[in-house]
Amino acid sequence: MSSTSRDIPLVYKRAIQRAFVKGYYYKRARINSAEMLAEYLSISQSTVFTYKSTDDDLFDLNKLGRKPFEEERTKRRILHLARSSGENSFLTQKEIISQCSDLASEYFIKKTLRDALNDGVVSHNKQSIKPYLNSNQIDSRLLYAFFESVKYDYNKVIFGDEKGFQLTPKPETSMLYHAPDIDLPYILKTGTNSKVLMVWGGVGMNTKLPLYFFNRSVDSYAHISAMQTELLPFMRRNQDQGWHYLQDNAPCHKSHHTIDFFKENNIPLIPHPPSSPDLNIIENVWALLSHKVYHRNRSFQNVEQLKTAIINAWNEITIDEINKFVESMANRINAVVDAEGRQTKY
């Protein structure tokens, strides 16, 4: 039952006047009329119109909103937290809001952070997820960067790998605020997530091969089937152009059956150092594809919907985008050398 104008809370009266004086209703709640506003607040329409036109000083807009506070002191506190660069002191926006909520409104804190970002006073980025590297893997990466990589023309390489997709997007790492000259620490990769759809893809300079969708778990035989369907026809069409194939060291890639298949079909392989996704540009293409598939946290009801979205997103990836990744290979090799074999920014 609707409330009368005499017993509605004061905040309701203020909400009514603010809605009309500002020239809008509660747009986010999809309220666009006095009738809907009355229903939303559980009051009568007559009450809405009564307080719409009141001239009482109590409803002066200058007296509405958050309480006064020392803005400069609060801004300094917010920016101090956002610029923190000590060990484990990187904060998300939510954490900064929780630590400053007694000083300012959430709106003021967000606006301060946004202005600081626009002015270059602070930065924010997502933490990168990097694989763990032991001493043997670090040595292998260095040997590859120094000696193996100079043997190949990466403009004549197909970079390939499998990628697993889920019906719902994986939780993303949070955006962390920091001073512009501070690099975020990376997160060591741990564990795996269950996948409902496995896909193989291959890219190279001016080249994007069709996707291959697996209908079973990816073992050596399934992997060979993907190679026969998508990679082998390309290699045969271009057998005189000196193309190589690069893949990681997954068990199905290194099995005797798989290696024999490549030898029998004269597909030259590039040896790939262990735990080195930064040296296979298909990982960057997968990241771009996932961003398109799960844009705005999109989720899917079934595998067919997911498959359609993946195909559409793959078609949207341009050759220019792929070429930029290929052209970055020289910089990636140099980055491994500069990092003495350890993780790089790629």
Side-chain angles (χ1 to χ4, degrees):
M1 185 172 67
S2 298
S3 301
T4 65
S5 61
R6 288 178 296 180
D7 60 6
I8 68 171
L10 178 61
V11 291
Y12 280 25
K13 298 175 184 178
R14 286 177 170 172
I16 293 168
Q17 190 188 30
R18 185 187 292 109
F20 281 96
V21 173
K22 289 287 188 179
Y24 60 87
Y25 297 91
Y26 295 91
K27 292 183 179 179
R28 286 191 175 183
R30 302 184 185 279
I31 294 173
N32 51 26
S33 68
E35 180 182 0
M36 294 178 67
L37 180 61
E39 183 178 351
Y40 182 76
L41 297 176
S42 297
I43 58 179
S44 66
Q45 288 189 53
S46 61
T47 301
V48 171
F49 285 110
T50 296
Y51 288 100
K52 167 189 174 182
S53 57
T54 182
D55 294 325
D56 196 320
D57 288 341
L58 179 66
F59 303 102
D60 183 354
L61 287 183
N62 294 327
K63 297 183 179 180
L64 299 178
R66 60 179 179 270
K67 296 179 180 180
F69 53 85
E70 299 180 39
E71 288 192 1
E72 288 306 316
R73 180 173 68 88
T74 303
K75 285 182 179 179
R76 288 197 297 271
R77 169 66 174 162
I78 295 168
L79 294 181
H80 172 73
L81 291 172
R83 288 175 58 86
S84 295
S85 56
E87 185 177 0
N88 298 324
S89 64
F90 301 94
L91 299 177
T92 64
Q93 184 182 85
K94 185 176 181 180
E95 290 168 335
I96 294 173
I97 290 172
S98 67
Q99 294 197 31
C100 297
S101 58
D102 59 325
L103 300 175
S105 68
E106 182 175 325
Y107 170 80
F108 180 82
I109 298 171
K110 288 183 177 180
K111 184 177 185 303
T112 302
L113 291 173
R114 185 170 64 248
D115 292 343
L117 283 170
N118 292 337
D119 294 339
V121 176
V122 299
S123 298
H124 72 161
N125 302 91
K126 293 179 182 177
Q127 285 179 289
S128 299
I129 300 176
K130 305 288 186 181
Y132 170 77
L133 296 174
N134 59 37
S135 58
N136 290 334
Q137 292 166 339
I138 291 173
D139 290 343
S140 296
R141 284 165 56 83
L142 268 179
L143 288 172
Y144 179 86
F146 272 114
F147 303 111
E148 284 291 334
S149 62
V150 299
K151 301 177 182 178
Y152 306 106
D153 176 8
Y154 287 101
N155 289 336
K156 291 295 182 180
V157 173
I158 295 296
F159 301 82
D161 198 10
E162 293 82 22
K163 167 71 174 175
F165 289 87
Q166 305 169 108
L167 294 178
T168 57
K170 292 188 297 185
E172 294 186 350
T173 52
S174 299
M175 300 293 289
L176 300 182
Y177 284 82
H178 56 94
D181 56 341
I182 298 296
D183 292 329
L184 288 179
Y186 56 79
I187 303 171
L188 288 180
K189 185 176 181 180
T190 57
T192 56
N193 295 304
S194 60
K195 310 295 191 300
V196 299
L197 187 60
M198 293 296 294
V199 184
W200 177 89
V203 297
M205 180 63 75
N206 297 316
T207 304
K208 180 175 62 171
L209 301 183
L211 293 175
Y212 181 90
F213 291 88
F214 296 92
N215 55 13
R216 50 180 286 189
S217 59
V218 183
D219 56 15
S220 299
Y221 298 102
H223 179 62
I224 290 172
S225 178
M227 299 298 95
Q228 289 174 325
T229 305
E230 304 300 349
L231 178 66
L232 186 56
F234 173 85
M235 299 301 263
R236 285 177 174 171
R237 289 196 305 269
N238 301 278
Q239 59 184 350
D240 297 329
Q241 297 182 22
W243 284 86
H244 287 66
Y245 181 61
L246 186 150
Q247 59 183 359
D248 62 23
N249 297 294
C252 64
H253 298 169
K254 305 298 290 184
S255 72
H256 292 299
H257 295 296
T258 302
I259 298 302
D260 289 344
F261 166 80
F262 286 120
K263 289 180 178 178
E264 292 168 2
N265 290 281
N266 298 315
I267 299 177
L269 291 174
I270 294 181
H272 190 65
S275 299
S276 300
D278 53 345
L279 296 177
N280 189 347
I281 66 159
I282 191 65
E283 301 295 342
N284 301 91
V285 177
W286 288 143
L288 182 60
L289 181 69
S290 296
H291 176 74
K292 294 178 179 293
V293 171
Y294 299 113
H295 183 56
R296 295 185 177 178
N297 286 322
R298 182 185 180 189
S299 59
F300 303 91
Q301 298 295 321
N302 53 58
V303 173
E304 284 304 314
Q305 285 185 3
L306 176 59
K307 183 176 180 179
T308 300
I310 293 171
I311 293 172
N312 292 338
W314 184 256
N315 292 335
E316 291 176 6
I317 295 177
T318 66
I319 291 298
D320 286 342
E321 290 172 320
I322 294 171
N323 288 350
K324 287 180 180 179
F325 291 136
V326 177
E327 291 165 356
S328 72
M329 279 303 298
N331 292 334
R332 293 166 188 259
I333 298 296
N334 292 333
V336 171
V337 174
D338 293 340
E340 298 181 348
R342 294 177 174 82
Q343 291 89 349
T344 69
K345 68 178 182 178
Y346 293 98

